[in-house]
Amino acid sequence: MKDVVSRCPIEETMRVLSGRWPTLLLYYLQDGTKRFSELRRDNPTVSHRILALELRKLEEAGIVRRTAHPGYPLRVDYDLTGPGRKLVPLIDALGAWWEHTEDDRINRPPTSEANLDTAA
Amino acid sequence: MKDVVSRCPIEETMRVLSGRWPTLLLYYLQDGTKRFSELRRDNPTVSHRILALELRKLEEAGIVRRTAHPGYPLRVDYDLTGPGRKLVPLIDALGAWWEHTEDDRINRPPTSEANLDTAA
DNA sequence: GCTTGGTTACAGAATAGTGCGTAATTTACA
DNA sequence: TGTAAATTACGCACTATTCTGTAACCAAGC
């Protein structure tokens, strides 16, 4: 995904949420504040670099808030902003859609021609 | 995005919807059946190869139905399946979220949570 | 010298775009 | 009347672009 300036809110949203990590991070941040290292432990397959990049992207989108505490060793907290928390149920709805439509998606039923709702 | 087998419905959904085109195609297919060439005209910046790949991905996910009419010149129709149509309002909700939270995301207010320290 | 959060440099993987080929029928035109 | 050209929805091979991972390095206090 390139940085394409679009005025379409759906495109903008997808630009931020696309990829494996954004929704996963949303998920782990639901419970509350997490540190960088905690998020790494939460899902061990994301690389150090990519986690930092993804978190920055979410921060710039206003979904995640970054709080750096002064002093060493470094300590940085991440949590969801208000908009970020509002986003969570929408993501959950997508997951629910996937689950509840599984049979229909796999069996690929005749799908009512024009507008005749034949089922479901 | 690699092909990662996951049982998480959110990950599965994002695997299908990630990228610039899936949601756009959903958008253009809302109105009804479209031919390949129409979808290309709808958004001229997608290459024919990618459009074909994206449509196939959506078809395999059970979101889009492909109907090839025999004969030449070739004629292929695409439309949304039942699950595909159910997905549309969820995508719209994401767009609405983006729009309605714009101020909050950009101004980054103190985020009414417990941690009331160093707010930017 | 360990810690934590982050950045940079480089390499390798994945993804996207370009142009050519194809099929069978219709149309174009000399 | 014969033939060349256009049409549609791709597949394929090749190239260009972008993304991701790995490893090294930094900061400063303990």
Side-chain angles (χ1 to χ4, degrees):
Chain A
M1 283 301 271
K2 254 190 302 201
D3 260 54
V4 178
V5 179
S6 89
R7 302 294 169 273
C8 170
I10 296 176
E11 277 187 80
E12 290 299 309
T13 306
M14 290 313 294
R15 195 171 49 74
V16 174
L17 296 185
S18 279
R20 274 223 283 165
W21 309 121
T23 51
L24 265 186
L25 295 179
L26 267 277
Y27 173 80
Y28 286 119
L29 286 172
Q30 274 182 90
D31 319 326
T33 300
K34 290 265 178 114
R35 299 183 55 180
F36 186 85
S37 50
E38 288 180 284
L39 289 170
R40 286 218 66 188
R41 248 164 295 156
D42 281 336
N43 66 357
T45 61
V46 68
S47 71
H48 188 78
R49 194 175 81 95
I50 294 301
L51 179 56
L53 289 175
E54 294 289 333
L55 284 170
R56 178 168 300 281
K57 189 176 70 173
L58 291 174
E59 189 198 355
E60 277 165 11
I63 293 170
V64 158
R65 177 178 57 165
R66 195 187 102 108
T67 311
H69 302 278
Y72 286 81
L74 292 174
R75 184 193 170 83
V76 179
D77 286 338
Y78 291 93
D79 64 348
L80 296 182
T81 63
R85 283 199 296 273
K86 282 183 197 147
L87 182 55
V88 171
L90 302 183
I91 303 296
D92 287 343
L94 287 178
W97 165 84
W98 182 268
E99 282 189 310
H100 295 146
T101 61
E102 185 145 31
D103 290 344
D104 289 344
R105 282 185 295 99
I106 291 172
N107 300 336
R108 237 160 293 183
T111 319
S112 65
E113 194 42 35
N115 289 321
L116 326 164
D117 260 77
T118 26
Chain B
M1 286 293 284
K2 258 190 300 204
D3 259 53
V4 178
V5 180
S6 88
R7 301 295 168 275
C8 170
I10 296 177
E11 276 187 80
E12 290 298 311
T13 305
M14 291 312 295
R15 195 172 48 74
V16 173
L17 296 186
S18 280
R20 272 224 282 166
W21 310 121
T23 51
L24 266 185
L25 295 178
L26 267 276
Y27 174 79
Y28 286 120
L29 287 171
Q30 274 183 91
D31 319 327
T33 300
K34 289 268 178 110
R35 298 183 54 180
F36 187 85
S37 50
E38 290 181 285
L39 290 170
R40 284 217 68 189
R41 250 163 303 170
D42 282 338
N43 66 355
T45 59
V46 69
S47 70
H48 72 265
R49 193 175 80 93
I50 294 303
L51 179 57
L53 289 175
E54 294 289 335
L55 284 170
R56 180 165 300 281
K57 189 176 71 174
L58 291 174
E59 189 199 354
E60 278 166 11
I63 293 171
V64 158
R65 177 178 58 165
R66 195 187 103 108
T67 312
H69 303 279
Y72 289 79
L74 292 174
R75 184 189 171 82
V76 180
D77 287 338
Y78 291 94
D79 65 346
L80 295 182
T81 63
R85 283 198 296 273
K86 283 183 197 146
L87 182 54
V88 171
L90 303 184
I91 303 296
D92 286 342
L94 286 178
W97 165 83
W98 182 269
E99 281 188 310
H100 294 147
T101 60
E102 186 146 29
D103 289 343
D104 288 345
R105 282 186 296 97
I106 291 172
N107 300 332
R108 236 159 291 185
T111 320
S112 68
E113 191 63 36
N115 303 339
L116 311 168
D117 43 29
T118 51

